[in-house]
């Protein structure tokens, strides 16, 4: 009898776990951790020629939802928060704009961002990064 | 044993249906919307060039951005759909003095599809002037008004109106 009760209890716990909700994706958040260097940029469908200093600009995602944005052209580093929620990468200093992740693996990150142009059209910017390997 | 199995099955049936999205509304409402029509108490309003230029960019993280050609800046706020029938937006409201401040505004969703969004709000004319719905309008200029004119304006601003805003999605 006790063994049966234990089995039922185990099944109940497993069912609760299966039904649990999670709007965040810890897998993607974990893959983002690290320092990424800007390699490519397109606005609309037009490639943007990056300067040498822009190609040395980085974004570093840390495990505590803290990130560092380094602008190699000015030498400034901006502190920011970040999270990945509702399938969007949110970087607090860039809000209200946020990013859709188009590609993410161990070496490459591609994100897409929507903006409204000064003439009122939808403007899509795609940024590509490569990961700095330690 | 049979009782235990029965209890377990009842437990399963009693569980909420897991992690379903709220009827897919975040997917439907996210996108780039162009203002197509404005109705005031059921009558279509002739939209100004500025109103025709109004664009609403709604993103699935609960943030939206608002553009109008005559507006001095792009506005932004948060959105959430509640009870599958209400769209709550934080919008800019003139504080009567020197700036716009965030203000919660609730719309009733009349229609929401992959291409059309229609929302309704019943509010005072005075509030419509203060809130950027979805285009800013000129604030009342009280300079030089007589007491009688001020009273008349106040009565007018306290008139209720039903506004319907219709948007179409642009790809």
């Amino acid at each position: 009898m006790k063994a049966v009760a234990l089995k039922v209890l185990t099944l109940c716990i497993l069912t609760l776990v299966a039904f649990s909700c999670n709007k965040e994706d810890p897998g993607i958040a974990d893959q983002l951790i690290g320092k990424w260097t800007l390699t490519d940029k397109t606005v609309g469908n037009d490639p943007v020629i990056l300067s040498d200093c822009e190609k040395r600009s980085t974004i570093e995602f840390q495990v505590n939802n803290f990130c560092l944005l380094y602008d190699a052209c000015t030498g400034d580093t901006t502190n920011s928060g970040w999270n990945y929620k509702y399938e969007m990468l949110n970087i607090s200093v860039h809000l209200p704009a946020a990013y859709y992740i188009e590609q993410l693996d161990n070496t490459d990150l591609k994100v897409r961002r929507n903006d409204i142009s000064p003439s009122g059209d939808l403007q899509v910017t795609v940024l590509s990064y490569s990961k700095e390997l330690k | 044993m049979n009782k235990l199995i029965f209890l377990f099955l009842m437990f399963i049936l009693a569980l909420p249906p897991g992690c379903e999205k709220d009827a897919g509304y975040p997917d439907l409402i996210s996108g780039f919307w162009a203002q197509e029509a404005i109705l005031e108490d059921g009558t279509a309003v002739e939209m100004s060039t500025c109103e025709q230029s109004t664009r609403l960019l709604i993103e699935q993280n609960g943030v939206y951005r608002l553009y109008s050609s005559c507006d001095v800046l792009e506005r932004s706020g948060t959105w959430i759909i509640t009870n599958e029938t209400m769209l709550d937006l934080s919008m800019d409201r003139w504080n009567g003095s020197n700036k716009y401040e965030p203000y919660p505004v609730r719309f009733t969703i009349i229609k929401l599809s992959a291409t059309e969004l229609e929302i309704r709000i019943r509010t005072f004319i005075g509030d419509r002037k203060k809130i950027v719905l979805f285009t800013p309008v000129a604030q009342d200029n009280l300079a030089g008004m007589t007491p009688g004119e001020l009273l008349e304006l106040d009565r007018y601003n306290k008139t209720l109106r039903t506004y319907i805003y219709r948007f179409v999605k642009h790809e």
Side-chain angles (χ1 to χ4, degrees), chain A residues 63-83:
Chain A
V63 293
N64 54 357
N65 293 113
F66 187 76
C67 68
L68 300 167
L69 299 119
Y70 171 63
D71 183 337
C73 298
T74 61
D76 293 333
T77 299
T78 303
N79 300 331
S80 177
W82 74 276
N83 69 18

Side-chain angles (χ1 to χ4, degrees), chain B residues 151-164:
Chain B
L151 185 61
E152 189 57 37
L153 179 62
D154 186 60
R155 283 186 185 139
Y156 175 73
N157 284 336
K158 286 174 180 171
T159 309
L160 278 170
R161 286 272 193 273
T162 298
Y163 298 93
I164 292 177

Side-chain angles (χ1 to χ4, degrees), chain B residues 18-64:
Chain B
C19 293
E20 291 173 6
K21 283 188 174 178
D22 298 322
Y25 285 133
D27 291 334
L28 286 175
I29 203 168
S30 299
F32 188 54
W33 299 89
Q35 185 162 262
E36 182 186 61
I38 301 171
L39 283 80
E40 194 173 306
D41 284 344
T43 302
V45 167
E46 188 175 342
M47 293 206 296
S48 65
T49 306
C50 188
E51 287 166 329
Q52 289 173 39
S53 74
T54 295
R55 301 289 182 266
L56 188 58
L57 175 59
I58 298 179
E59 302 211 272
Q60 60 201 50
N61 62 349
V63 175
Y64 78 88

Side-chain angles (χ1 to χ4, degrees), chain A residues 7-69:
Chain A
K7 283 179 189 173
V8 171
L9 183 62
T10 306
L11 277 168
C12 290
I13 291 168
L14 287 172
T15 308
L16 277 169
V17 168
F19 275 91
S20 67
C21 253
N22 192 351
K23 290 189 171 70
E24 296 194 42
D25 187 331
I28 290 187
D30 290 341
Q31 276 193 288
L32 282 167
I33 301 299
K35 187 184 278 190
W36 300 85
T37 306
L38 183 64
T39 59
D40 201 51
K41 178 178 179 179
T42 60
V43 177
N45 290 319
D46 301 322
V48 173
I49 298 172
L50 297 173
S51 62
D52 289 338
C53 61
E54 282 174 315
K55 289 178 188 174
R56 286 184 280 112
S57 295
T58 63
I59 180 165
E60 181 177 356
F61 298 101
Q62 299 179 351
V63 293
N64 54 357
N65 293 113
F66 187 76
C67 68
L68 300 167
L69 299 119

Side-chain angles (χ1 to χ4, degrees), chain A residues 101-118:
Chain A
I101 295 181
E102 302 280 294
Q103 179 193 348
L104 174 61
D105 56 40
N106 290 335
T107 55
D108 296 295
L109 168 67
K110 187 186 282 187
V111 296
R112 173 174 55 88
R113 164 182 164 156
N114 294 328
D115 292 290
I116 305 177
S117 74

Side-chain angles (χ1 to χ4, degrees), chain B residues 139-154:
Chain B
Q139 300 304 307
D140 292 329
N141 184 358
L142 308 180
M145 280 190 159
T146 65
E149 286 170 337
L150 287 169
L151 185 61
E152 189 57 37
L153 179 62
D154 186 60

